[in-house]
Amino acid sequence: MYLGIDVGGTHTDAVIMDAGKVRVSCKKTTNHNDLLESVRAALSEVLADIPPSAVTRLNLSTTLSTNAIVQGRIEDVGVLVSAGPGMDPEDFRIGPSYHVLHGSIDHRGHEILALDAAELDQAANACRDMGIQAYAVATKFSTRNPAQENQILDRIQDQAAVATLGHRLSGLLNFPRRVATAYYNSAVWRIYNGFADAVEDAARELGLTA
């Protein structure tokens, strides 16, 4: 049996499928102040007459992240980027704390210009002073050589609750997309973790081992 749960902005839905057919389903109102309560209620209802051990897969879905972005309820993110010649990172400015650093990796992965430690410190300190705990880091050719992204991470990791690095998102060279994706990933990180923790805790309480 497969169990699916979808936590949405309005409702939390759960369904159990058995041999391709719906065995049981339910819909509960999503309590944004207590996602665990919403998930627990939905899972408890569909498992009322089904032993948790019969569930072999648990599929998860949520629109909480999308809703938060659309509604402007995302966390402030400190964005640290560098590109080198040929592209102006200012064209991709996003968020309230966007910092362009001098530094460059070429398309072959060779460092052309090292990061300026003082400049990096200034950007990191500005983010810290704003109370920012979520970070996005992207350099133009980090997919060829992530050294400068990792150097930036080393500087901010003590003040970061989360830091998304562009080279960990994709091997493609689309720098603007990696800037935006890193930003939004960190911006919804705390919201998504609340969803994931709620599912994990409820599953553990109910004895699901799928």
Side-chain angles (χ1 to χ4, degrees):
M1 293 184 187
Y2 292 173
L3 192 162
I5 185 163
D6 174 46
V7 179
T10 305
H11 294 106
T12 294
D13 299 279
V15 61
I16 290 181
M17 303 289 293
D18 187 7
K21 297 181 179 179
V22 175
R23 177 77 173 268
V24 62
S25 64
C26 76
K27 183 183 293 288
K28 300 291 185 182
T29 300
T30 298
N31 180 354
H32 290 275
N33 295 319
D34 190 349
L35 289 180
L36 177 58
E37 185 275 332
S38 301
V39 173
R40 183 192 292 121
L43 293 182
S44 296
E45 182 164 328
V46 295
L47 289 169
D49 298 315
I50 295 174
S53 60
V55 177
T56 58
R57 180 180 296 177
L58 178 59
N59 294 332
L60 310 180
S61 174
T62 183
T63 57
L64 293 175
S65 298
T66 305
N67 293 343
I69 292 171
V70 171
Q71 296 166 6
R73 295 185 292 102
I74 54 179
E75 186 166 351
D76 286 343
V77 177
V79 185
L80 306 174
V81 302
S82 71
M87 183 176 285
D88 185 358
E90 287 291 351
D91 292 340
F92 319 116
R93 174 173 286 275
I94 189 169
S97 186
Y98 187 92
H99 303 271
V100 177
L101 306 173
H102 292 91
S104 179
I105 302 287
D106 72 11
H107 67 286
R108 296 181 185 275
H110 300 139
E111 185 175 67
I112 303 304
L113 178 65
L115 291 171
D116 184 317
E119 184 181 51
L120 176 54
D121 280 345
Q122 183 178 16
N125 290 337
C127 292
R128 184 198 60 213
D129 292 344
M130 288 180 63
I132 288 174
Q133 297 182 333
Y135 291 83
V137 179
T139 63
K140 183 178 178 182
F141 287 112
S142 62
T143 54
R144 301 287 169 82
N145 180 355
Q148 291 192 348
E149 285 191 357
N150 289 329
Q151 184 180 343
I152 295 170
L153 175 63
D154 287 343
R155 171 58 183 82
I156 64 173
Q157 61 184 355
D158 289 341
Q159 66 192 60
V162 61
T164 301
L165 305 189
H167 77 273
R168 295 179 180 174
L169 298 171
S170 170
L172 300 178
L173 288 176
N174 194 322
F175 175 61
R177 180 169 289 183
R178 280 185 286 115
V179 171
T181 304
Y183 169 80
Y184 283 114
N185 188 70
S186 289
V188 301
W189 169 81
R190 210 175 299 272
I191 292 171
Y192 183 83
N193 271 11
F195 156 73
D197 289 345
V199 172
E200 184 174 310
D201 291 346
R204 185 184 300 110
E205 288 179 13
L206 296 169
L208 284 168
T209 58

